[in-house]
Amino acid sequence: MRLRALGALVAVSTALLAGCSSADSSTEGTASGSTNSAAAAALTAAYQGVTGTPPTVATKPKSGVNLWVVSCGQQVPSCATPVAAVQEAAKALGWESKMCDGQLNPGGWGNCIRQAASAKADIIIPVGIDCVSVQAPMQEAVAAGSKIIGGGGADCDAAGGQKLMASERLQLDKVSIKDYWKLNGKLQAQWLIGRTGGSAKVLLLTFTDPLWGPWITEGFKEELATCSGCSIATTLEISNNDMAGNAMAQKFSTALLQNTAVNAISIPVGGWMQAGLSQSIQSSGRATQLSVSSGFGDASTMDLIRTAGFAFGALGYASAWGAYGSVDTAIRVLNGETPQVQGDGFQMVDKDHNLPASGDYEGGVDFKAAYRKLWGLG
């Protein structure tokens, strides 16, 4: 996951928007809440999003592989869902797999990686975990012979350190990990610009612990700055400790009550909505006046879109697709082959656009069948 400048992001995003299809690119009615053409265009771009396709180059999995998947925290659906998908893919390959719950803290993540190395894991996939948070345990695992494959987090070289992962998961063509996460924030900002007709006054939540949390915020701020009538009313920093200690909902509720001019809210992780944020919005007395965006979540986030008593748009991301992509990357690394771009992109979803009839968002692609074919499983 390599760093890129904003100009590269804009150029690549534009090219991908032109060349890639999405699950539902219909834009009928997308100007809901918009009062000018620029805001309407931003909303259309948010619904279109950026999505690729699974690889087309076949690969043959090795047998007898011992895989460990380290969860960022099983209590959070956005960690638990891709972990389950990694294990599902490993089972299809006949690989032995073991899950270790890092429990939302770097100490737990590091202990899991050390356990995997002690168990002589061939492959370790840390889900949602950046190398810089667990650099020493990763160094020990690599020295012990384990190969570390990215599960959505950044390698240490993304922060100027030593590259320790055998490969990050390559998600979109020619889009670095930083630009990928910035695109997450950009699409949220576009949706809020459109929903508010170019007049968003935003309560912006920033996830401080992972590298990608501030990257989402950076992408959001850069895109919101293109809207002359928009501004950030206040920024609220959230850490893993806030979630583990159940302080997040109270901090959020206080910020919302203190900033009465806010008409828009940006939340980096959709799974946080079920951790008290949705309830805080509902009980604020201002729910019908708010447009709320979030990053990716899980099936519960899609269910909230269907039932929320406020305007809610979430980033549609097929996390199981990404998990299968990490396993595909592991296969190729073990074979000494070039890792492939996995295509797991995203687009904004609300009750009128891109929302699946039921269940979780899967991107409109039968990626499981595609990977089984790639791996020679029929």
Side-chain angles (χ1 to χ4, degrees):
M1 300 194 313
R2 302 153 304 279
L3 300 180
R4 296 288 190 272
L6 174 61
L9 171 64
V10 174
V12 170
S13 298
T14 301
L16 286 167
L17 284 169
C20 298
S21 61
S22 59
D24 176 6
S25 59
S26 168
T27 57
E28 182 179 355
T30 55
S32 174
S34 299
T35 57
N36 60 64
S37 59
L43 194 56
T44 298
Y47 291 137
Q48 177 69 39
V50 181
T51 302
T53 59
T56 57
V57 178
T59 186
K60 183 177 180 180
K62 290 183 179 293
S63 60
V65 173
N66 177 16
L67 180 151
W68 276 59
V69 56
V70 178
S71 174
C72 42
Q74 286 296 93
Q75 69 199 77
V76 178
S78 55
C79 296
T81 299
V83 164
V86 166
Q87 292 196 285
E88 179 184 74
K91 182 178 180 180
L93 296 171
W95 289 2
E96 179 183 352
S97 69
K98 168 77 174 179
M99 186 277 292
C100 185
D101 185 1
Q103 300 180 340
L104 296 177
N105 70 85
W109 304 337
N111 287 337
C112 284
I113 292 171
R114 288 189 168 108
Q115 288 180 47
S118 295
K120 301 188 183 305
D122 299 302
I123 294 291
I124 303 173
I125 299 178
V127 170
I129 299 168
D130 294 314
C131 172
V132 292
S133 301
V134 286
Q135 182 172 345
M138 278 196 180
Q139 287 173 327
E140 295 167 20
V142 171
S146 298
K147 295 185 183 300
I148 300 172
I149 303 298
D155 203 344
C156 280
D157 62 346
Q162 178 187 4
K163 181 176 176 60
L164 293 175
M165 293 182 182
S167 177
E168 298 162 341
R169 183 171 74 232
L170 308 179
Q171 293 165 291
L172 292 171
D173 189 27
K174 300 178 183 178
V175 176
S176 72
I177 185 61
K178 181 178 182 180
D179 289 347
Y180 185 85
W181 287 108
K182 286 178 66 176
L183 181 58
N184 179 313
K186 176 180 180 177
L187 292 174
Q188 286 193 60
Q190 288 175 331
W191 188 84
L192 289 176
I193 291 168
R195 283 294 311 179
T196 61
S199 61
K201 304 295 180 284
V202 184
L203 167 55
L204 175 63
L205 276 65
T206 295
F207 192 11
T208 57
D209 289 342
L211 281 176
W212 51 263
W215 288 343
I216 292 174
T217 295
E218 184 178 348
F220 184 93
K221 287 181 175 179
E222 288 173 351
E223 184 63 23
L224 196 75
T226 67
C227 171
S228 60
C230 302
S231 62
I232 295 172
T234 189
T235 299
L236 179 64
E237 294 187 345
I238 300 293
S239 68
N240 278 319
N241 285 338
D242 291 322
M243 288 182 284
N246 298 316
M248 177 172 63
Q250 183 58 53
K251 289 177 66 173
F252 174 75
S253 181
T254 298
L256 183 57
L257 291 174
Q258 289 177 344
N259 292 274
T260 56
V262 163
N263 66 357
I265 301 170
S266 176
I267 298 166
V269 181
W272 292 5
M273 296 296 289
Q274 305 296 345
L277 302 197
S278 177
Q279 295 89 329
S280 295
I281 293 168
Q282 295 283 13
S283 63
S284 69
R286 297 162 52 203
T288 58
Q289 304 165 28
L290 298 171
S291 293
V292 182
S293 74
S294 83
F296 64 85
D298 67 339
S300 67
T301 307
M302 296 296 109
D303 284 340
L304 183 59
I305 291 174
R306 298 180 184 103
T307 61
F310 50 89
F312 178 44
L315 201 70
Y317 173 68
S319 59
W321 180 351
Y324 269 67
S326 289
V327 173
D328 182 80
T329 303
I331 294 169
R332 297 175 194 275
V333 165
L334 288 174
N335 289 344
E337 300 166 354
T338 301
Q340 300 291 300
V341 173
Q342 302 300 325
D344 48 314
F346 31 50
Q347 60 186 167
M348 289 300 292
V349 177
D350 61 27
K351 66 177 183 178
D352 297 317
H353 301 87
N354 303 321
L355 182 65
S358 62
D360 204 352
Y361 176 91
E362 294 192 348
V365 174
D366 189 353
F367 57 86
K368 293 182 182 180
Y371 282 112
R372 288 184 64 87
K373 182 177 179 181
L374 281 176
W375 301 339
L377 303 180

